Amino acid sequence: MTSSPFTSRHEENPNPLAAEQRIAILENPGFGNYFTDHMFLAEWTPDTDWTDARIVPYGPLSLDPATAVLHYAQEIFEGMKAYAHADGSVWVFRPDANAARMQRSAHRLALPELPVDWFLGSITALIEADRDWVPVGEEKSLYIRPFMFASEVFLGVRPSKHVTYSVIASPAGAYFKGGLKPVSIWLSTEFSRAAAGGTGAAKCGGNYAASLLPQQQATAQGCDQVAFLDSAEHKWVEELGGMNLYFVQDDGSVVTPELSGSILEGITRDSILTLAADLGHEVIQRKVSIDEWREGTASGKITEIFACGTAAVVTPVGVLKWVGGEAVSADGTGADAGAGKVTTDIRSALVDIQYGRAEDRHDWMHRVC
Ligand SMILES: *Cc1c(COP(=O)(O)O)cnc(C)c1O
């Protein structure tokens, strides 16, 4: 049997970044720009099961050009954040949900499922090793990126018999530079992100590769993000490239597109189902058509729209644009526009739990160190 990651080899980085440079980075980390001094690695083969769990200095991986992932994209990942609380303790939000989702993604991509204790052990080991990299302060966190890929050197097409699991970490400030300014959304009518029976519900790199061209088109249209519809009818709202969507209705209810098999089951999305109900809103999961979005913003039936995900938390949606038209949410898009009240309340309820400012009534927070 495999041993626990807690018994992993630990190789201290002999050249960690100097404290003053690290502190300067933590002042204004942006997103995904800087990486901590260490990383976690483990290997899997059918014979050994999971093995060789280790913390080593952060650095490049050396890959044979025939490494399977470079050709067939057998790869999955996760994203979560570690938060510094006022008393100096460090916590992560619902890591058990990330562990379970990574197992579901692994299943879809024919990768081996990582045991939950290995997942939790790996993120704990890395955060403990790089604890000084957890930024302190409003909206800051240490973004944790577990990922797994086919590392067998083989060009035949079948599931890899050597798989590498790794965790890296990157200090994070606010995801969108504008803060809580509403984002603009480009409706992709030409492309879908995922199809029924495809990999849309798995958190795999391939889904992101397929979203880059439509995202590029969104950027060319002056929009921040791209929205995708279902692939069969091009009618039902699915999600953004990396965030789920919520619609607030004039009767106070909040609606999110029901899981379709091609929508990624966001942990933020799931948490908001509970938090919105806690705040007294009726919460509805059902199909939302693109016409409902357009007409609802025009008529005032939809009062607020927001996108949600670990990286950007909860972000108001201002305007939806498509070839030949646009629909502006009630909370507007001007330079002085902000977030609507329901969006703001839900966002606060979530981040207050994450940063330890509100009672963790649903037992979501997991203390790391
Ligand atoms: C990760 C992701 C989300 C958000 O999931 P969270 O668990 O809330 O971070 C939404 N959509 C896609 C496509 C994603 O990859």
Side-chain angles (χ1 to χ4, degrees):
M1 260 319 281
T2 50
S3 61
S4 151
F6 298 105
T7 61
S8 65
R9 172 154 71 87
H10 189 120
E11 188 185 325
E12 200 75 36
N13 188 332
N15 297 303
L17 196 68
E20 63 200 50
Q21 283 173 275
R22 187 186 66 241
I23 289 162
I25 287 170
L26 296 184
E27 274 300 307
N28 191 11
F31 185 85
N33 297 313
Y34 305 99
F35 300 92
T36 63
D37 293 316
H38 298 89
M39 60 185 182
F40 180 94
L41 283 167
E43 314 296 329
W44 176 93
T45 70
D47 297 335
T48 60
D49 201 351
W50 287 104
T51 184
D52 202 15
R54 58 210 191 269
I55 294 280
V56 294
Y58 185 92
L61 304 172
S62 170
L63 295 181
D64 187 287
T67 301
V69 67
L70 300 177
H71 303 272
Y72 308 126
Q74 194 190 6
E75 185 267 357
I76 57 173
F77 66 94
E78 271 302 325
M80 59 211 299
K81 284 174 169 174
Y83 307 90
H85 286 189
D87 65 357
S89 56
V90 177
W91 302 69
V92 288
F93 181 72
R94 302 187 67 186
D96 47 330
N98 294 89
R101 186 170 66 189
M102 194 167 207
Q103 291 186 336
R104 295 196 299 274
S105 299
H107 176 72
R108 181 64 184 84
L109 274 285
L111 284 161
E113 290 178 19
L114 186 75
V116 172
D117 62 328
W118 277 66
F119 185 91
L120 297 178
S122 65
I123 60 167
T124 302
L126 182 63
I127 296 168
E128 278 177 343
D130 287 329
R131 177 185 185 132
D132 291 347
W133 282 89
V134 183
V136 176
E138 192 88 17
E139 296 286 304
K140 287 184 185 169
S141 59
L142 183 64
Y143 183 76
I144 312 293
R145 168 54 62 87
F147 62 106
M148 185 191 291
F149 62 94
S151 47
E152 184 179 358
V153 178
F154 180 60
L155 285 189
V157 179
R158 58 151 170 73
S160 182
K161 289 184 183 168
H162 192 144
V163 172
T164 300
Y165 168 70
S166 179
V167 189
I168 58 175
S170 174
Y175 188 73
F176 292 117
K177 286 175 227 94
L180 251 197
K181 243 182 75 185
V183 292
S184 53
I185 308 284
W186 177 250
L187 178 67
S188 187
T189 44
E190 188 182 352
F191 300 110
S192 293
R193 190 190 77 92
T199 56
K203 209 166 175 72
C204 65
N207 292 338
Y208 278 74
S211 75
L212 295 178
L213 175 62
Q215 176 63 45
Q216 214 170 33
Q217 295 177 336
T219 307
Q221 297 287 343
C223 291
D224 301 305
Q225 292 279 311
V226 59
F228 292 103
L229 303 177
D230 77 289
S231 63
E233 297 178 71
H234 297 286
K235 174 175 179 179
W236 306 106
V237 176
E238 298 232 296
E239 59 173 313
L240 307 185
M243 278 182 286
N244 298 111
L245 284 166
Y246 268 91
F247 301 85
V248 182
Q249 303 193 109
D250 59 358
D251 63 358
S253 61
V254 299
V255 180
T256 190
E258 68 186 12
L259 298 175
S260 62
S262 50
I263 293 178
L264 195 286
E265 297 172 40
I267 293 160
T268 317
R269 174 192 180 279
D270 182 73
S271 306
I272 289 171
L273 294 175
T274 301
L275 290 178
D278 287 354
L279 291 171
H281 298 277
E282 186 190 354
V283 185
I284 304 163
Q285 300 185 69
R286 62 162 168 81
K287 290 184 165 197
V288 177
S289 74
I290 191 63
D291 288 341
E292 182 180 354
W293 182 338
R294 288 172 172 146
E295 289 157 17
T297 49
S299 71
K301 172 92 180 117
I302 295 173
T303 54
E304 301 173 33
I305 305 174
F306 62 88
C308 63
T310 297
V313 196
V314 169
T315 300
V317 170
V319 62
L320 175 74
K321 296 187 188 180
W322 59 92
V323 181
E326 64 176 48
V328 182
S329 302
D331 44 347
T333 55
D336 57 347
K341 176 158 191 338
V342 177
T343 303
T344 307
D345 288 351
I346 288 174
R347 187 180 209 281
S348 301
L350 180 60
V351 296
D352 284 351
I353 292 171
Q354 291 171 333
Y355 286 90
R357 297 186 295 253
E359 192 195 339
D360 177 20
R361 287 168 49 203
H362 303 287
D363 217 5
W364 282 337
M365 300 306 292
H366 175 92
R367 184 170 180 170
V368 174
C369 53

